[in-house]
Amino acid sequence: MTDTTTETDTTAQLDDLVGGEYRYGFVTDIDSEIVPVGLDESVVRLIASKNGEPDWLVEWRLGALRHFLTLEAPTWPYLRIDPIDYQAISYWAAPKAKGPAPESLDDIDPKLREMFDKLGISVAEQERLSGVAVDAIVDSVSVATTFRERLAESGVIFCPFSEAVREHPDLVRKYLGSVVGPRDNFYAALNSAVFSDGSFCFVPAGVRCPMELSTYFRINSAGTGQFERTLIIAEEGASVSYLEGCSAPRRDENQLHAAVVELIALDDSSIKYSTVQNWYPGDENGKGGIYNFVTKRGRAGNRARISWTQVETGSAITWKYPSVILQGDDAVGEFSSVALTTNHQQADTGTKMVHIGRNTTSSIVSKGISAGHAQNTYRGQVKVMRSAVGARNHTRCDSLLLGPDCGAHTFPYIEVGTDGAQVEHEASTSRIGEDQLFYCRQRGLDEEDATAMIVNGFCRDVFDDLPMEFAVEANALLRVSLEGAVG
Amino acid sequence: MLEIRDLTATVADDDGAPKTVLDGLDLTIRTGEVHAVMGPNGAGKSTLASVLAGRDGYEATGQVTFDGQDLLAMEPEERAIAGLFLAFQYPVALPGVGNMHFLHSALNAQNQARGLTEADAGTFLREAREVMAELDMDAGLLGRAVNDGFSGGEKKRNEILQLALLRPRLAILDEPDSGLDVDALRAIARTLERLRDGERSYLIITHYPRLLELVVPDHIHVLHRGSIVHSGGAEVATAIDADGYAPFIGAEAGTAVR
Amino acid sequence: MTPPATPTLVDRGRPDLPTNRDEDWRYAPLKAIVAAIDATTGPMRGEAHTPATDELAALLEDLPAGYRVVLVDGRYAPELSAMADGAANGPAVDVVDTAAEDDPTPRDAFELWNRTSNRHTVRVRVGDPGDGDPSRLVHLVHLTTASDGPSHPRVEIEVPADRRATVVETFRSLPDAAFTNATTTLHVGTDAGIDHLVVLQGDSYVVRTVVIAEDRSRATAGAVAIGHASGHHRLDVELAGPGAEVSLTGLTVAGHSTHHDTLAAVDHLTSHGTSRQLFASIVADGARASFTGQVVVAHGTVGTDADQQNRNLLLGPGARADTRPWLEIHSDEVACTHGATVGRLDDDAVFYLRSRGIADRTARTMLMRAFATTVVDQLASNEAIRTWLEAAVDEVLDEIVVEAASTEGRR
C-alpha cells in the first residue's frame, strides 16, 4: 500500500531531521556582486542592464517604479509588520560568473555545488534518479539549468526568465503582466520594477510536459531582497506540473521576498503549481525571518484547469493569495493549502476565485495550524460575476490551535451576483481533542508524536494533492516545524 | 502483575468540588489471570479503567504497582510501553490518520522504547490481515482513517485488533461487548481466548455475562460506589444475570481477592 | 475605527460618514443611505414634526397584543402608547438625559451622530413583576415621520437579574419619511432571559442593536428586514458574563431593488459562552442582501461553543448576495464552526412539485415560503408574533412574485 510505504519512509526520514535547529541555516561564502541600497530609476536601469534587457522591458519596469513610488503599503491584512524602508534595501546580487556559462553541472562554481549538496537536493542526484529538470536560482541569477535538450524535444521551454527575455522576447512580451499587471498592488508594482530573474515555462499546444519542473531558491547575501518573476504558459491542450520549494539561511534583519507568479492556461490546458515553502521563519522570539509577500495568479480559458497546492511552514510574515480567474467556460480552479505558524510567525493567506465564464468550478481546501504566539489568518474571496451562470464553489477551511496563546482567523468574502450559481462554505476551528491525544498515548506514542500524527491526519486531504516526492518532503517539514510547538 | 491497594479517585464536579468515584479499591491480578469487574452504572467501572490507563481529570491516591513499577507515577505512554493496554468503551476517531500507519507507529514506538528492533512493515501487514480475518473484519478498514466512519462493531473489533498486534501484558477491556451482535461477540472472544497464553492478563469490565461465558474469568468482582463489595468465581455472573446486583450491593463486606 | 472628535457638520449638515472602504461597511448600501439623508431639507437635528393622528394610528394597526411603547421620531409618545393592562401599569419607561454617561468612543460616525443629535434615551425596564405582567409582550414601536431630517431614537432596555421578558422593536414610517439612525441597548442581567426581535419595515435605516449578556443569561436576538428601503442593521452582542447563551436569528427579504445589509458581531469575552446564529435571506431580481458575521473569542477564555450559519436564496439572474462569516479566535479551548450557502431554489424540488400538477410560479412561491417559514419559526417566541410575522413576510414575498411575473410578462 502506497500509504504504508510513504509513511514508513517518513518515519526513517524523521529520525534524520529531528534536531530542532533550522537545518538550512548556513551561509555560503561566494563572491557576490551587490548593488548599493536604494530604489530609484538608476537602480532599475542597472538591473535591466545586468540582464541585457530590451528597451520595451526597461520602460515597462520604469512605469511600474513610477507607480510604486506613489503607493503606500497596504494595512488591511491582519499582520503586524515593522515598517520597511524600501530605500534601505539592495535590489540585486549575483554570484560572479567564473568563465563562460556552464554546460553541465561540472562547470558550475564548486562552492555552489557544495551548497546544493548541503541542501540535500543535489542536482546530480535529481538528474539521475527522477528525471526532474532543475532550474536552481541563487541570489537572483540562475546558475544551473539541466535537461534542456530533453524538454526541447517536446518543444517545452523551461529556462530562467532573463534568458526567456533574450531568446523568446515575443512570448514574454505577449504574456508578461497579462495576469498580474504592474499596477495590481503594492508588492506587484515593486516586483515589476526590480525583479531580477525567475522561471519561464512555455508548453506548446497539445503537449503534456514529460516531467515535473522544479525550482529551488536561496537568499544568500545580507540586505538583498528576492524578487522573482515567474511566467508559465500552457497553450491549448497542454499540461504541466511545476514544483516550487524554498529555503534560506539564518539572518537577523528581515529579508523581503516579493515574487510574482503568472499562470496562463489556454483552452483545454492544465497547470498544476505546487509549493513547499520553508523560508526562515524567525527565531523563537520572533526576531528575523523572511517576509514573504507574493502575488500569484492564474487565468484559465475554456475547459482549462489551474491548481495551486501549497504547504507553508516558513517565513516570519506571509501575505499571499494564489488565485484563479475562471475566465473561460467550464474552467476549473483548485486551491489546496496547509499553513503552519509557530512561535511568532504571522500569516494572512488564502485565495481568490473569480468566476466569469459559464459552468465554472472552484474548490478550496485550507488547513491552518497555529501554535506558540502565532497568528494564522485565512482570507479568501469567491466572487461570482453575473455572467457566471452555472458556477459551483465549495470551500472548506479548518483551523487547528495548538496552545492558548496563538490565534486562528477565518475571513471569507463570498460575493455572488447571479442566481445561477451554487456556493458552499464551511469552516471549523478547534484544538486537538483530549480524547484523541489520550488514545494515541495509550498506544505508546508520546505527546509530541501523537500531536504530529493527528496534525498530519488533519492535513491529509492537502498532502494527497501534492506530487509524490513533495508529499514526503511536506510530511517531514510539518513534523520538524511542529517540534517544540506542543505544550 | 497488578496490585491495587486503597485506590481512591476523585473528579471535579460542575462547581469544582471533588467527587469521590473510586473509594479505597483493592484488587490483585496475577500473571495469566482473567478478572472481570461488574457493577451498576455509576459504580466507577470506567473510572477504574481510565485511572489505570492514566487519563487526565482524576486525582488518584493509593498504591498501584504494575510489574513492580509505580503505575500512578507514569505517563500514559509509559504505561503502554510497560505493557498496559486499554480497549476503550468509546474509541475516538482520528481523521486522516491511516489505521495501518497508526498501528505500525504505535508498535514501533513501544519496541523502540523497549530496545527491540522495529517491526518490518511487510510482516506487520501480514499479521494484521490474519488477525482481521480472525475477527471477521473487512480488510479495507486497514486503509481507512482510525475509527473514522466505523460502525460500533467495527470500532470494537479495531480495539481487539490493536490488542492482538501490540501484545500487552495486561489488557483492560472497558465494555468490549456493548453494542455487539452475537457473531461479533464470538469473533472477539475467539481472539481473546487465543491470546490467553498464561503470560497475559485481562481485566474485563462489563455489564453482561455473555462474553464471560466465552472468555471464562478466573475471578469476578462486583464494584459498587467505588470499591469492590464482592469477589467470587464465574458463578457471580450467573447470579447477577438471574437476580441483578441487589443481592451483592446489600452485602458491603465481600470476599476480597488477595 | 477612529470617529471624528467632534461632530463636524459638512456643507450638507451631517458628519463624515463611513465609506465602502471601511471594512465593516464594505457591503453596506451607503450610496442609498446617503442619498436618503441628503434628500432632506432643513436643519439636520431631527426637529419635531406633528403628523396627523390618523396617519400614526394607521401605522399602529395590526400589531400583536401586548404593552406598547411608541416613539415618534425618537421621542417617547405616551399618548400613543398602551401601557395599562387592566388595573396595573406596564413596564417602567423613563426618558433620561444621558449625554454625560455616553461612552466617549462611539463605534462609528452614525452612532456619534445619534448621540450628538439626541441627548435623551428612552429607558425601559421589562420583566419585573412590579411593572405589570412580565409574560406580556412589550412592543416598542419606532415611527419615523420626519421628512426634513433623520430621526435618532435612543433606547435602553433593562432586564433585571433572574427576570424574563419578550420585546419586539418594530420600525415603521410614513411614506415621506427620510431616514432613521437608531441605537438600542439591551442589558440582560445575571440569570435573566430575553427574547428580542427587531422588525424593519420602514424607510432607509441604520439601526444598531446592542445586547450585553451577563452571567448565565439567555438572549435571543432576532432581526427581520422586510422594508421597502435599503439600510444597515448591526447586531452587537457581548457575552459579558460567563455561561451566557445567545441565539441570533435573522431573515431578510429583499425586494423592490432594495439592499439590506446585516452585520452580526458576537464577542465571547468570557468563558463557557454559547452562541448560535442563523441568518437567511431571500433576494429578488435586482435586489441585494449582504451579511457580515464577526465572531471573536477572547484570549484566556475556555469552553466557547459558537456556530454561525448563513443561507441565501437568490431569485433571479440580477439578484446579489454577499456573505462574510468571520471567525477571530484567540483561545484554543473552543468549538467554532460556520457555514454559508448561496444558491437558488432547488431545481429538483421545483420539478417534483410541478410533476404533481402545481404550476411553476406557484411551486416556486411555495418553496420560497418554506425557506422563510423555517426561519420565522425560530424568530417567533409566541404564536401571536408568529402569525403577525408570517403575514408581514408573506406580503413582501407576494410583492416579489408579482413583480417577477410582470417582468417576465414584459420579456
Side-chain angles (χ1 to χ4, degrees), chain A residues 207-227:
Chain A
V207 174
R208 299 185 65 80
C209 185
M211 62 198 77
E212 279 169 342
L213 307 178
S214 76
T215 303
Y216 290 90
F217 291 83
R218 269 188 70 76
I219 293 178
N220 200 24
S221 308
T224 51
Q226 187 104 30
F227 303 97

Side-chain angles (χ1 to χ4, degrees), chain A residues 1 3-4 7-8 11 15 434-436 438-447 449 453-454 456-458 460, chain B residues 53-55 75-77 80 84-86 88 93-97 101-102 104-106 109-110 147 159 162 166:
Chain A
M1 293 177 82
D3 210 37
T4 317
E7 282 157 330
T8 1
T11 318
D15 294 337
E434 283 298 328
D435 284 354
Q436 292 175 320
F438 182 64
Y439 191 79
C440 294
R441 293 178 77 183
Q442 205 298 300
R443 298 303 187 246
L445 298 163
D446 66 28
E447 200 172 337
D449 283 347
M453 182 170 282
I454 292 168
N456 187 287
F458 176 74
R460 181 99 254 134
Chain B
R55 192 184 217 128
E75 296 290 338
E77 58 271 22
L84 190 142
F85 178 90
L86 170 63
F88 287 77
L94 302 176
V97 181
H101 172 55
F102 174 68
H104 196 200
S105 302
Q110 294 194 30
N147 298 328
E159 295 297 287
Q162 292 180 35
L166 294 175

Side-chain angles (χ1 to χ4, degrees), chain A residues 156-188:
Chain A
V156 174
I157 304 167
F158 178 51
C159 63
F161 193 90
S162 51
E163 186 180 311
V165 170
R166 285 192 303 274
E167 307 290 320
H168 312 281
D170 293 335
L171 280 177
V172 175
R173 195 163 185 176
K174 182 173 178 183
Y175 291 110
L176 179 67
S178 64
V179 187
V180 180
R183 289 166 176 261
D184 189 275
N185 66 73
F186 184 82
Y187 301 106

Side-chain angles (χ1 to χ4, degrees), chain B residues 176-239:
Chain B
D177 47 357
S178 70
L180 290 185
D181 63 33
V182 170
D183 293 326
L185 192 64
R186 275 205 236 279
I188 281 176
R190 195 166 49 220
T191 300
L192 286 174
E193 275 296 304
R194 174 173 69 78
L195 296 168
R196 188 179 180 172
D197 58 5
E199 289 302 313
R200 178 170 292 120
S201 308
Y202 294 148
L203 176 59
I204 301 176
I205 295 168
T206 183
H207 266 304
Y208 307 109
R210 265 186 323 169
L211 178 63
L212 303 180
E213 287 161 19
L214 301 169
V215 182
V216 181
D218 302 304
H219 304 278
I220 300 184
H221 313 277
V222 180
L223 188 66
H224 178 54
R225 294 215 193 114
S227 63
I228 291 173
V229 297
H230 181 85
S231 297
E235 78 286 351
V236 174
T238 322

